Amino acid sequence: MKISASFLSSKDIPNDLKKLNETDVDYIHVDIMDGKFVSNKTMPFKEMRHIYEYTSKRLDVHLMVENPSAYIPLYAELNTEYISIHVEVLEDIVKDLELIKSYSIKCGLAINPDTPVKELVPFLPYIDSILVMSVVPGRGGQSFIPETSQKIREVKSLIESYHLNIVINVDGGVNQDTKELCQGADILTAGSYIVGSEDFQEKISSLR
Ligand code: DX5
Ligand code: ZN
């Protein structure tokens, strides 16, 4: 199992990123919120770009924004492995996915807890990953929605039925207990469980 660490709930981002850099975590999950797609807002890119200096890990960028096309070129500049946009956005999704691809970055589609899995179908040929939201996006530290377990199974069988090579990443409320509900996932994204602890490596190892 690969692990992606979100620093959304961090009280000291530079320090926590330095600490994460000393662990074997696979990715740093970068949550971007615009105050429109979700009500909270994260710091502007001109500040966010400095995370560069504190980590050598590849980034897993999660755009919780109404207009991903304005953000993709910015985050493509960083050491980014994945950029995920939401299937619920009203922009031309295929165009956005192609924009991500044009930077040779893997593209993902995130899906909210209330959105049916079938909404992903038209985009399956274009994507490298599906980010299954196990909380309503907007903030860290929420409880894992148990129905996500069934949703992961549904997503997995959809991918298999099309014989595609798409990675499943689960995001929100992931910890040592809820990881059991994530069977079928390839990547687990965890925030507060890791950065809210004393021993980052121990928590990361407990999720693998
Ligand atoms: C939720 C974010 C998640 C969140 C994960 O809006 O997309 O990535 O930060 O944090 P925890 O693990 O605390 O739910
Ligand atoms: Zn996220």
Side-chain angles (χ1 to χ4, degrees):
M1 183 73 80
K2 289 195 170 179
I3 310 297
S4 188
S6 159
F7 57 89
L8 187 62
S9 319
S10 170
K11 308 262 180 299
D12 182 350
I13 296 173
N15 193 37
D16 285 350
L17 286 175
K18 282 185 217 158
K19 279 165 68 184
L20 283 166
N21 217 35
E22 285 153 25
T23 70
D24 65 7
V25 81
D26 298 281
Y27 305 109
I28 299 297
H29 182 88
V30 183
D31 284 307
I32 309 300
M33 309 190 185
D34 63 354
K36 289 180 262 177
F37 185 77
V38 291
S39 56
N40 283 330
K41 207 169 173 173
T42 40
M43 60 178 127
F45 182 72
K46 63 180 192 304
E47 290 169 43
M48 194 65 102
R49 70 184 311 159
H50 294 296
I51 61 164
Y52 241 161
E53 297 157 25
Y54 306 109
T55 185
S56 57
K57 303 278 183 187
R58 302 278 286 162
L59 306 181
D60 163 32
V61 176
H62 177 194
L63 296 178
M64 289 168 273
V65 302
E66 263 182 2
N67 57 331
S69 56
Y71 293 76
I72 292 165
L74 305 176
Y75 288 91
E77 246 184 56
L78 306 180
N79 180 23
T80 303
E81 175 116 356
Y82 289 99
I83 296 181
S84 298
I85 65 169
H86 270 264
V87 70
E88 296 84 8
V89 296
L90 300 174
E91 265 193 353
D92 183 336
I93 290 178
V94 171
K95 236 176 158 177
D96 286 345
L97 296 172
E98 283 174 340
L99 180 59
I100 298 170
K101 281 272 172 239
S102 74
Y103 295 100
S104 301
I105 290 172
K106 293 177 187 160
C107 55
L109 261 188
I111 179 164
N112 280 343
D114 288 340
T115 304
V117 167
K118 67 172 183 342
E119 302 287 323
L120 297 168
V121 172
F123 310 109
L124 291 176
Y126 301 91
I127 58 178
D128 301 293
S129 78
I130 296 173
L131 186 65
V132 178
M133 294 308 300
S134 36
V135 298
V136 175
R139 58 188 174 85
Q142 304 182 75
S143 302
F144 188 96
I145 299 171
E147 288 75 18
T148 310
S149 201
Q150 175 56 26
K151 193 156 191 183
I152 298 166
R153 277 196 287 275
E154 249 182 85
V155 169
K156 184 109 191 153
S157 63
L158 183 69
I159 294 169
E160 285 171 358
S161 69
Y162 285 90
H163 305 288
L164 292 166
N165 194 9
I166 299 174
V167 158
I168 300 178
N169 185 349
V170 180
D171 183 18
V174 173
N175 59 39
Q176 199 176 3
D177 301 324
T178 57
K179 75 162 192 198
E180 307 303 336
L181 300 171
C182 299
Q183 273 159 33
D186 304 286
I187 306 175
L188 293 180
T189 296
S192 48
Y193 177 63
I194 300 173
V195 301
S197 79
E198 287 298 316
D199 188 341
F200 290 7
Q201 182 61 62
E202 186 206 13
K203 299 297 177 197
I204 291 161
S205 302
S206 76
L207 295 176
R208 289 205 188 274

